[in-house]
Structures are given as structure tokens and as C-alpha cells.
């Protein structure tokens, strides 16, 4: 099943939003600790979406696990990793979510993994090993490992979305995840980062701008479209579009944050993209 032209344009728009988002997150993390940033992100998104989504009184058993997997685990891991990594490296490494998703789709939904897909996955994982072999990551591998773990958790969350299927409307699902994830993240942030919570004047216009982009454009708008497309098409038809993210993310990091793009990073990125 090929994507309809309208759905194709929406998918390309999502990749643009998410590719630029790597830079936006770096801006936000310069003004707020990671978990506090994520908690505010979901809190604002919940306030925006709650009038349309209501309260998940009859779907808690389905939505609570997803809110923890996607809202708490994924964003905690990726924002914590990004706090110490550049946007370009994160944009490349997180693409392991594509082979992770293919493996999980084969296991849970019986989607076929031919030898070409298996070979591609091996090449993609070799690419991340090449990036991880840079001296700066050998000295401190944990931020990169955190982003790779976030990619795996994202893939698990997409399986959960597929299992929920049409039982929950995309707008409701998006709002409920934000509503349930925000208090979980706020409590965790209080115990781990409470002494570093910034005052509003410390966040500044740049920090609030990053929050607005995260909460309104990414959390409220793009994920609503993504959930609809995930349920409408096979996982292995949708996920390859994620390949556009590292290209946009690396370009945005270099242009907007003046980040260095090393030869080894480029080689690893090419391997990941070719493999996927």
C-alpha cells in the first residue's frame, strides 16, 4: 500500500519538523535541565489538547503503558543524551529506530524480514559503531548509548500504537499521552533536578520559544498526524521516511549552531542511511 499524495506531503512535513527539532531541543536544553524541559513540554501540550481529548476514563489500561514508554522513557533518554551530544550526532544515531522497528514489526506483526533487510540492518548498526568509535565517545559513551536506547524505546512505543489501532482516536491518544506523562516527568524531575529548576527569567525568550515549538508544533500537531499514519500504513512503509531526519538535523545543526561535522560522522551516517 503506497502513501496517498496528501499523506506523503504530511509525512514529509513531519520529517522537516522533527529534523529542525534537534536544534530546537539543544536551544531549550541550554536554558533548562532535560527532564524539567520534557515535563513542561508535555504539560503545555496537555493543556492545549485536553479540550479536544477529554479524560481517558475508559482507556487507561491502554494509554498508561504508552505514556510511560513514549512520554517518560523515550524522551528522558533522548533529552538526557542530547544534553551532552551535538544535534548532528543525535540526528544520525536516533535513526537506529528504523531497523529496531523493522525487527519488532517482524516479531509482533509477522512482517517479513528478507535477507536484504537483515543485511541493511547490519550495515546500519555498523554505522553507529563507526560513530561511537570516535575518541570523544570512547571517553564518555553514555550520552550516545542513551540516544540509541531512546531509539529502541521509540520502536517499542510504535508497536504499542499499532496494537491500540483504531480503538483510540489520534487526537485523544496524543492528548492523553501528554496528560499522563507530564506529572510522571515532573515528579521524576523534582527528585533528580529540583535544585536546578530555572526561574522564568532564566528560561528567557529562547527557552520559551523552544518550549512552544516542542509543545505545539511537535507534540500537539506532528504526533497527531504521525499516529494516524502509523495506524493507516504498515510499519515498514512509514518508518523509512525517518531517513530524512538526519539529513535535515545535520544541516540544521551545522547552519544554525555551527556544529562540526567530522569525516567519521559522515561515514557512519552514510552507513546508517544506506543500511536503512
Amino acid at each position: 500500500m503506497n502513501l496517498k499524495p496528501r499523506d506523503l506531503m504530511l509525512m514529509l512535513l513531519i520529517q522537516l519538523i522533527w529534523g529542525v527539532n534537534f536544534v530546537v531541543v539543544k536551544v531549550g536544553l541550554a536554558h533548562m535541565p532535560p527532564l524539567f524541559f520534557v515535563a513542561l513540554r508535555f504539560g503545555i501540550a496537555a493543556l492545549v489538547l485536553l479540550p479536544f481529548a477529554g479524560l481517558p476514563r475508559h482507556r487507561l489500561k491502554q494509554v498508561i503503558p504508552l505514556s510511560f514508554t513514549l512520554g517518560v522513557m523515550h524522551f528522558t533518554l533522548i533529552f538526557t543524551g542530547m544534553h551532552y551530544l551535538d544535534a548532528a550526532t543525535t540526528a544520525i544515531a536516533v535513526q537506529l529506530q528504523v531497523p529496531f522497528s523493522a525487527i519488532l514489526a517482524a516479531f509482533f506483526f509477522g512482517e517479513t524480514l528478507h535477507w536484504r533487510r537483515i543485511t541493511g540492518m547490519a550495515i546500519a548498526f555498523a554505522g553507529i559503531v563507526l560513530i561511537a568509535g570516535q575518541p570523544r565517545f570512547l571517553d564518555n559513551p553514555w550520552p550516545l548509548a542513551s540516544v540509541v536506547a531512546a531509539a529502541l524505546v521509540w520502536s517499542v512505543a510504535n508497536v504499542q500504537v499499532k496494537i491500540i489501532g483504531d480503538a483510540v482516536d489520534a487526537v485523544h491518544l496524543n492528548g492523553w499521552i501528554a496528560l499522563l506523562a507530564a506529572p510522571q516527568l515532573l515528579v521524576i524531575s523534582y527528585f533528580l533536578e529540583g535544585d536546578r529548576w530555572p526561574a522564568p527569567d532564566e528560561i528567557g525568550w529562547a527557552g520559551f520559544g523552544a518550549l512552544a515549538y516542542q509543545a505545539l508544533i511537535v507534540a500537539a500537531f506532528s504526533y497527531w498526524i504521525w499516529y494516524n499514519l502509523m495506524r493507516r500504513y504498515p510499519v515498514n512503509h512509514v518508518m523509512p521516511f525517518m531517513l530524512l531526519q538526519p539529513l535535515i538535523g545535520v544541516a540544521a545543526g551545522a547552519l544554525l549552531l555551527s556544529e562540526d561535522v567530522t569525516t567519521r560522522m559522515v561515514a557512519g551516517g552514510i552507513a546508517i542511511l544506506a543500511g536503512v
Side-chain angles (χ1 to χ4, degrees):
M1 180 192 300
N2 294 324
L3 270 70
K4 297 177 181 178
R6 174 179 174 274
D7 291 339
L8 175 62
M9 294 303 297
L10 288 173
M11 179 59 73
L12 295 176
L13 176 61
I14 289 175
Q15 302 315 313
L16 176 62
I17 290 171
W18 288 354
V20 174
N21 189 48
F22 290 106
V23 169
V24 176
V25 171
K26 288 297 294 182
V27 172
L29 290 173
H31 297 81
M32 291 165 278
L35 298 182
F36 183 69
F37 186 14
V38 183
L40 291 183
R41 171 198 194 274
F42 278 112
I44 296 171
L47 291 176
V48 172
L49 293 171
L50 189 58
F52 306 97
L55 298 174
R57 296 182 181 88
H58 308 298
R59 298 292 183 181
L60 286 175
K61 289 184 179 180
Q62 294 174 304
V63 181
I64 287 178
L66 180 58
S67 74
F68 181 76
T69 305
L70 181 62
V72 178
M73 291 183 64
H74 169 71
F75 281 96
T76 294
L77 287 167
I78 196 166
F79 274 45
T80 300
M82 285 193 71
H83 187 64
Y84 302 98
L85 292 178
D86 54 282
T89 300
T90 305
I92 293 172
V94 80
Q95 294 316 302
L96 287 178
Q97 60 200 3
V98 179
F100 284 147
S101 293
I103 294 170
L104 293 177
F107 182 79
F108 285 100
F109 307 122
E111 296 187 15
T112 305
L113 281 178
H114 297 293
W115 66 267
R116 286 187 296 271
R117 285 183 179 170
I118 295 173
T119 303
M121 290 178 198
I123 295 172
F125 284 112
I128 197 64
V129 170
L130 186 62
I131 293 173
Q134 296 181 84
R136 57 181 171 141
F137 298 130
L138 292 175
D139 294 337
N140 183 21
W142 297 114
L144 182 60
S146 181
V147 171
V148 172
L152 176 59
V153 173
W154 162 267
S155 304
V156 173
N158 280 317
V159 169
Q160 291 176 286
V161 171
K162 288 287 288 184
I163 291 174
I164 292 174
D166 294 330
V168 180
D169 176 80
V171 175
H172 291 178
L173 184 62
N174 205 15
W176 294 345
I177 289 173
L179 180 66
L180 293 170
Q184 298 178 69
L185 286 160
L186 199 60
V187 170
I188 297 171
S189 175
Y190 176 78
F191 285 106
L192 297 180
E193 306 170 332
D195 58 334
R196 293 186 286 128
W197 281 8
D201 61 318
E202 295 175 302
I203 296 176
W205 288 109
F208 282 116
L211 266 175
Y213 187 95
Q214 277 282 304
L216 303 179
I217 298 177
V218 177
F221 174 69
S222 68
Y223 274 94
W224 165 57
I225 298 173
W226 174 258
Y227 295 145
N228 271 321
L229 294 176
M230 276 297 299
R231 292 187 296 191
R232 197 175 302 161
Y233 298 98
V235 173
N236 287 324
H237 285 196
V238 174
M239 291 304 292
F241 283 92
M242 306 288 282
L243 285 171
L244 296 172
Q245 277 188 51
L247 304 178
I248 298 170
V250 170
L255 292 173
L256 302 177
L257 300 178
S258 300
E259 292 181 348
D260 293 328
V261 181
T262 66
T263 303
R264 192 157 185 163
M265 185 187 300
V266 171
I270 291 173
I272 292 175
L273 294 178
V276 173

